[in-house]
Structures are given as C-alpha cells and as structure tokens.
Amino acid sequence: MDKHYFTNDYLPKMHRIGKITGILGVFASFLPALVLGFGHGLWPDLALLATCFITVTTSFGFLWVIEPISYYPVLGPVGTYMAFLSGNISNMRVPCASIAQVSAGVELGSEQGSIISTIGMGVSIIINIIILSVGVIAGSSILAMLPPSVTAALNYLLPALFGALFVQFAVNQKKLAVIMLVFGCVVYIAINKGVFNFLPGASSYLGTLLCVFGSIFIAMAMKKMEGKKTE
Amino acid sequence: MDAMQLANSLPMWLACGTAVLLVVFQAVIFTKKAMDAAPKVGLTNDQVKRAMKSSALTSLGPSVVILSGMLSLLVSVGGPMAWMRLSFIGSVMFESIAAGIGTASAGVQLGVDEMTTFAFTMAVWTMILGSIGWIIVSTLTADKMEKVQNRMAGGNSALVGVISGAAMVGAFGGMVSQKLVAVDKSALSCVLGGVFMAILLYVSGKFKISWLKEWNLTIAILVAMIITALV
C-alpha cells in the first residue's frame, strides 16, 4: 500500500475535478437566463437587477464566505466541492457525510473518513435528485395526495434529525457536547435578542460560525490540558 | 406567451436539465473515484456498503422535506426552475426568498399576483446571481482550507480527527441550539429525536443488535416527528 497515495495521487486529482465542475457549474447556472434572453428577448432591467442583487447579498452574501469555511472541517476538501454544487448543505449533505463515517466505523476527518464521506454524499445527491425529478414530473398532484397532517408533520423532521445526530456525535465527547449545547443556546439567545445587530446579516451566519470554531477551539484546549495531566 | 407557459417550456427544461446533469455527473465521478481509492487506504467492501446504505436511508427524510419545498416553488416559478434550483447550489429557504425579491422588483408579489414574463426573468436572474457566490468561494477556497486545517493541526494527524469530531459536535450543537431556544414544537421534536437516539444507541450497543444500529437514526427521527405532530 502506497502511504502517500491519498495526498499525492488521490487528492490532486479530486481537486482538479472539483475545480472544473465548479467552474462549469457557474456557467450552467446562467443557462435558463440565456434561454429567456436569446430565445424570447427577455432580459432583466439592469437597474432593478442591481437592487435585487444588493438585497440578496445583504442577507446571503456573508454565507457565501462563511459557509464554505465553517463546514470545511466537517465536509473535507472533496465534500466541499460536492456540497456547494448540490446545495442543501446543513439539512442533508452534512448529516449524510457524518452518518456514513459513523456507519463505516472510520475515524472522522482521516483519509478513510474523507473517502467514506465522499461516497456517502454522492449517494445522498443521487437520491435527492431522483426524488426531486419524480416529484417535478408528478407535479403538484403529489402534494394534493398528501393529507395535511403529513405535510404538517414534515416540519418536525429536520429538528428531530438534528437532535438525533447531535446525540450520535455527543456520546463519544460528552463533556464537549454539554459545553457546546450551553454555548450554542447562549449564542442563539444573544442573536435573537439582537446583541449582534451591529454586524450586518449576523443572524444568518454567526451561529454556525461561532459554534463550529468555538467547538474546535474548546476541544483543542481540552486536548492540551489532558496532555499536560498525563505528562 | 403566458409567463407560466414560458417557465414550463421545453427549452427551459433542457437548460435546467443540463445543470442538474452536471450535479449528477460530478456526484457520480467523485463517488466512483472514491470507491476506487477505498481499498487503497485500507477500507473494506463491507465498510463502503454500510456507508452507502446509511447515507441512502438518511437522505430519504430530508429529500421529502426538500420535495415539499420544491412543490411550493413549482407553483410560482414553474417546474424546470424549481427542479434545477433545488438540485443545484442554494437551499429551499434561499430560493424562495431570492425568487420573491426578483419578482417584487417587477411589482409582482410571489404567490399572490399573477406572474409576468418580466417578473419571471427578474426572479431567474436574482436566483442565479444570488447563488453563484457560494460555488465561486467554495471552489476557490477548498484547497486553501486544506492547508489551513493542516496548519491548525500542526502536522499532527490525531489532532485532525479531534478537529473534525469537534466541528461536527459544534455544527449539530448549533443547529440543535437554534431549534431549542425557539421553545416551540420543533424544539420538542429536536429533544425527542435526541432522547430516542440515545435510547436506541444504548440498546443496540448493549445487546449488540447490528441491524438495529443501521436503523437507529431513521427510527428515532420518525418516532420523534410523529409524537410531536400528535401532541
């Protein structure tokens, strides 16, 4: 087994594929707009579009930068390319990447973990697209078929998923998990009370950023203290 | 041409389909390369299979939630755009807000007023310009973040595992806290999901029931969701 296979052979190849598909993704985004423009002569009003762009940027622009950084330690390099091209990161890609690593019994963030999370995420993307494709063909008739009690219950699916996944990762790091739960609640109460309102758009990104990096910082500090004790 | 006819026209399907195919292409090629690499880093066939199975199971719930989001977007911006936007970058919340900002600039309130071709064009452009930031930033930073993480770990590979594990506890801790501080039914669902997961983890671990281990997450989520909906 080549010890450097992962860093010298596998990763550079994956980075190249990731960059090419990412750039293609930017171009592919514009295809429907070009169909409207060249096919039907429908172009946006530039002044209005500038206003729209500014409005969207003030609420989401920070996420463009903060999300790739915050989720990197969870997703890894290949996972980052996949998650951001396919979207639905916190509600689907992160849960799938993490649960795949748990089921395979690999160490989180290791070379094995990175490969397993890529496979897990690939499966989740394909399943998501199959379900959406069936849904879009069947159209709103599916929605009409679901009784209202089911659609109402669906609102509680993601909170239950987050709670269950948190416990899954908390069992191996109980001390850190309790600290982070208290920390997270304090952060979100502060955000809801408007403590961070001086930062533009803080409510959308600050929670994730503080919780991920706060947790990394606290875990590393705890590790260091343990190290000192054993010496 | 009527706006909704235009939104559901064949060229729109083709343009949006190309973008969706790109996501599928990337997922397939990454998954295939990762599966080829798996034996070379010492992963067994069984581990890969378990990862795929658990990820597939975990994908189902969130996919249905995304599907119900897509069906509401479908009514306002047509099938092709709803299908593309939710298979590609972004998230349910982002797409509906961006579409709303776009049409509002043309004086059309999304889901209330009748869609015009111009308002549709504005919505399409706003959704595109608002989302490419994610893919540009993540594509450009993925390889740089790798270096940052390695530097944080100081070349200590055990510490990379600590960082990834802590990042997951932080990420899910943040998501859980955000639900908890709302103190509503989703907070209840979140707590129940965690409690049932803890029970199932304990039972399946203590009595070594391996089939139950694979279903832990699914059972915990479904039970938590149904109880919350019934309360």
Side-chain angles (χ1 to χ4, degrees), chain A residues 61-146:
Chain A
F62 297 96
L63 293 179
W64 301 343
V65 182
I66 309 264
E67 282 196 340
I69 295 174
S70 308
Y71 287 125
Y72 180 87
V74 181
L75 298 168
V78 184
T80 299
Y81 293 120
M82 298 175 93
F84 286 90
L85 188 69
S86 62
N88 290 303
I89 295 159
S90 60
N91 53 353
M92 186 144 177
R93 307 302 162 221
V94 173
C96 286
S98 56
I99 207 70
Q101 295 183 62
V102 172
S103 308
V106 292
E107 199 187 324
L108 299 175
S110 64
E111 296 181 357
Q112 292 190 340
S114 163
I115 285 177
I116 286 293
S117 88
T118 301
I119 295 173
M121 227 182 296
V123 170
S124 92
I125 290 170
I126 302 289
I127 289 194
N128 181 29
I129 290 184
I130 291 175
I131 292 183
L132 290 183
S133 304
V134 171
V136 79
I137 293 165
S140 355
S141 53
I142 289 196
L143 198 63
M145 261 163 49
L146 290 176

Side-chain angles (χ1 to χ4, degrees), chain A residues 13 18 24-25 32 40 132 141:
Chain A
K13 228 190 284 166
L24 285 177
H40 302 274
L132 290 183
S141 53

Side-chain angles (χ1 to χ4, degrees), chain B residues 10-76:
Chain B
L10 184 65
M12 285 301 282
W13 279 110
L14 293 178
C16 295
T18 309
V20 176
L21 271 184
L22 177 70
V23 181
V24 174
F25 170 75
Q26 192 207 46
V28 169
I29 194 164
F30 270 147
T31 309
K32 200 186 162 303
K33 296 254 179 234
M35 286 173 78
D36 290 344
K40 294 182 187 156
V41 295
L43 285 161
T44 64
N45 228 338
D46 181 54
Q47 282 177 301
V48 171
K49 265 192 206 140
R50 265 186 286 155
M52 294 179 91
K53 199 169 158 193
S54 63
S55 174
L57 265 179
T58 311
S59 308
L60 291 178
S63 282
V64 175
V65 176
I66 298 169
L67 176 69
S68 73
M70 183 187 77
L71 293 174
S72 63
L73 196 62
L74 183 140
V75 180
S76 45

